[in-house]
Amino acid sequence: MQSFSIGVDLGGTNMRIAALEDSGRRLETICTDTLVNRGRDRVIDEMCAAITQLADKFGASHDFAGVGVGVPGIIDLERGIVCAAPNLPDWANYPVKAQIQERLGTPVVLENDANCAALGEKWMGAGRDISGLCMVTLGTGVGGAFIFNGAVWHGMIGMAGEIGHMTVTPDGPSCGCGNRGCLEQFASATAIKRMAAEDAAAGNAPELARAMNENPEFSAKMVFQYALQGDPVAQQIFNRVGWALGVVLSGLVDALNLPMYVIGGGVSSAWEAFSPALIRELRRRSIVFRASDPADNHVSEKKKTIVTRALLGGDAGLIGAARLPLLSADPPAMVRRRISA
Ligand SMILES: [Zn+2]
């Protein structure tokens, strides 16, 4: 009998729950319209109802391997507690894992959402045939994750992968983390908007300034559209994004020598605008990248450092969450019975 698992992607605004076979084939997805800001208990009620619905539906024809939940925050894996989640304020220090397990009577694995996205890309996306990868997620902030030999590298206190807070310029813009000149201050959607506003305020960017005045919803995506249309200031902003990513990735490539570095998150849709500067910077700075340059015909295919955009888009975290119960170091016995509501 084929087994299946259920993944939950708890986003900043809403939640998705999907059942996937262990082959990766998606069976069904439920999107709830519950806003996560309506409170923890309501969200968990809806989450458990959707999980039960999927488990009942597919449990008759499949073995059920368990539930994985991706949470946008710092997680204490041993205790199954969300330590801090800026977008989920009432979840801090709440025993999420125990609460969900109690309601469902089935094993639950929690994981940070950036790690889930990396697991998703490793399983069904850009890193399918790769044993290890580093993923950088460019969204409102910048997240990161490492997969070594197929497993997430959590680090001693579970905080590994804070790539967004690695230093690009020691005296650069101050960051919420306490450091200055973090990658997040150059390569996030927030940073792109800020750089556009700075250029507009300095009088260097008449087109962007006009767009900003006319549109209160001015966003990083609009800066990308201006870059595509040939606006030199917008293009320069994406060159800085690529440069900053290149500075940080060159350090990671030299230190880790992993076969793949995946760039995901909403900002990665501007790949064509920032990737030339990123690759240029890698080639300039990283001795390991030059020795494994994918553009070098003397380097064999298996020894190339691949730097690529993510393939799964917004589904990476959901797919990775469903992967969690299948990877669990001490796999729970398959739950053959159907969950009763
Ligand atoms: Zn920082």
Side-chain angles (χ1 to χ4, degrees):
M1 204 187 253
Q2 190 147 28
S3 61
F4 80 112
S5 59
I6 294 176
V8 178
D9 179 34
L10 190 57
T13 48
N14 56 17
M15 174 169 62
R16 289 183 304 156
I17 300 104
L20 273 81
E21 282 180 345
D22 58 358
S23 63
R25 189 170 78 92
R26 180 118 46 131
L27 296 166
E28 188 172 330
T29 307
I30 295 175
C31 303
T32 69
D33 50 11
T34 308
L35 296 170
V36 295
N37 63 12
R38 291 215 190 139
R40 184 184 73 199
D41 294 335
R42 173 111 186 246
V43 171
I44 290 181
D45 281 347
E46 292 223 1
M47 183 194 295
C48 291
I51 291 168
T52 304
Q53 185 187 328
L54 292 175
D56 281 348
K57 182 166 177 183
F58 299 106
S61 52
H62 296 71
D63 281 331
F64 183 37
V67 178
V69 182
V71 181
I74 298 165
I75 292 158
D76 181 332
L77 291 169
E78 276 172 30
R79 294 191 297 155
I81 287 172
V82 177
C83 302
N87 292 322
L88 306 167
D90 59 344
W91 290 63
N93 296 314
Y94 177 73
V96 187
K97 179 175 161 159
Q99 283 292 327
I100 303 173
Q101 283 187 165
E102 200 170 291
R103 288 189 208 201
L104 296 173
T106 192
V108 171
V109 187
L110 288 190
E111 184 56 273
N112 163 269
D113 60 347
N115 290 340
C116 284
L119 278 175
E121 287 292 334
K122 161 80 187 77
W123 187 25
M124 297 298 295
R128 268 170 195 251
D129 304 317
I130 298 281
S131 63
L133 61 81
C134 165
M135 181 158 175
V136 186
T137 306
L138 310 176
T140 315
V142 172
F146 300 109
I147 303 225
F148 298 148
N149 296 322
V152 171
W153 174 257
H154 290 105
M156 180 187 61
I157 59 166
M159 285 183 72
E162 288 294 346
I163 295 169
H165 299 293
M166 291 175 70
T167 304
V168 178
T169 54
D171 301 313
S174 59
C175 180
C177 73
N179 186 21
R180 300 189 77 97
C182 293
L183 177 61
E184 188 164 294
Q185 299 304 319
F186 296 95
S188 62
T190 316
I192 290 167
K193 217 174 134 180
R194 189 205 73 231
M195 290 189 281
E198 284 168 359
D199 284 330
N204 302 329
E207 295 284 337
L208 289 177
R210 190 171 335 128
M212 248 172 263
N213 285 335
E214 285 169 4
N215 194 335
E217 311 255 294
F218 185 82
S219 64
K221 199 180 263 180
M222 294 177 74
V223 183
F224 175 47
Q225 278 155 6
Y226 274 90
L228 284 181
Q229 288 161 21
D231 182 88
V233 181
Q235 287 175 339
Q236 200 52 43
I237 288 171
F238 280 98
N239 281 340
R240 282 183 90 191
V241 171
W243 162 79
L245 277 167
V247 169
V248 165
L249 278 186
S250 66
L252 290 169
V253 169
D254 281 353
L256 299 170
N257 191 197
L258 285 165
M260 181 177 276
Y261 301 79
V262 183
I263 314 293
V267 175
S268 69
S269 56
W271 174 257
E272 59 189 291
F274 67 76
S275 60
L278 161 57
I279 302 296
R280 190 162 58 236
E281 207 57 33
L282 270 173
R283 212 164 263 148
R284 183 185 295 164
R285 289 177 185 268
S286 168
I287 185 171
V288 176
F289 186 80
R290 286 195 301 274
S292 56
D293 191 331
D296 185 341
N297 293 330
H298 300 297
V299 177
S300 74
E301 283 307 314
K302 284 190 168 170
K303 306 247 163 154
K304 289 180 172 174
T305 298
I306 308 298
V307 179
T308 184
R309 61 185 291 184
L311 293 182
L312 301 177
D315 281 349
L318 181 62
I319 292 168
R323 182 73 172 145
L324 292 168
L326 304 167
L327 287 176
S328 183
D330 184 18
M334 291 291 181
V335 182
R336 285 172 198 278
R337 63 180 174 77
R338 291 164 59 173
I339 295 182
S340 50

